[in-house]
Amino acid sequence: AAAHFPALAAPPSRTLTSAACSKATQGAMSLRRAIVRAQEATLPLRKTSRKDQTRIGTYPVPPEASIWWANRYQVPGGEIKQSFSPYQQKIMFQWFWNAPSRWYWRFSKWAWPIGIPYLIIYIFVYKSCQMDVEADIRAKAWW
């Protein structure tokens, strides 16, 4: 039956020699080393310092810290003073730094769908009507 149905035949015996075993083990080890090397390459070069790990400001400001966030204090004379501390500046710097690019993006995003049609309407409708009225006034009631 095995001659007519090769699938039913017993599989040939596969025995590895010691040289083949050591070569297969070496291949597996070099693959393992390559994986470890690739994982180490994706790690950061050095650990972030503790000073930079701790966040100076968090959102939202808790109610008990709101008086420090507002940075207002009353002096004996009754004057209320306010200042912008370095901690607040560190939190708000990114907002100030990115503001021009945000506004440029907002204006450029709406330039073609809103700005250009309004400009065309202003030039061709309003200004042409204004020029027609001035021409009519000059033609009829100019002294």
Side-chain angles (χ1 to χ4, degrees):
H4 296 295
F5 302 106
L8 295 177
S13 64
R14 293 188 177 137
T15 56
L16 293 174
T17 61
S18 62
C21 270
S22 65
K23 194 165 193 161
T25 308
Q26 284 176 350
M29 285 301 291
S30 63
L31 178 64
R32 237 180 271 145
R33 272 190 242 112
I35 291 170
V36 169
R37 257 188 256 118
Q39 287 174 346
E40 286 174 356
T42 58
L43 293 174
L45 293 178
R46 62 185 72 84
K47 191 171 186 250
T48 307
S49 65
R50 181 167 291 283
K51 174 180 75 77
D52 293 332
Q53 279 179 354
T54 56
R55 291 190 53 180
I56 291 180
T58 57
Y59 294 102
V61 178
E64 64 272 9
S66 63
I67 190 162
W68 300 113
W69 171 255
N71 207 5
R72 294 190 180 106
Y73 57 95
Q74 200 164 3
V75 293
E79 179 187 5
I80 295 177
K81 292 192 173 184
Q82 185 175 4
S83 62
F84 195 35
S85 74
Y87 302 112
Q88 291 167 311
Q89 290 174 26
K90 180 168 181 159
I91 295 165
M92 296 302 292
F93 175 78
Q94 52 197 332
W95 189 85
F96 288 122
W97 181 260
N98 291 327
S101 63
R102 277 200 312 270
W103 281 104
Y104 176 78
W105 170 249
R106 288 172 187 161
F107 284 134
S108 62
K109 178 183 174 188
W110 292 105
W112 281 105
I114 302 279
I116 301 300
Y118 278 161
L119 185 67
I120 290 171
I121 289 170
Y122 174 76
I123 291 171
F124 286 105
V125 176
Y126 179 74
K127 282 297 181 183
S128 63
C129 287
Q130 189 178 18
M131 289 170 63
D132 286 346
V133 167
E134 286 183 5
D136 187 53
I137 289 172
R138 283 194 187 105
K140 293 180 181 171
W142 201 258
W143 60 86

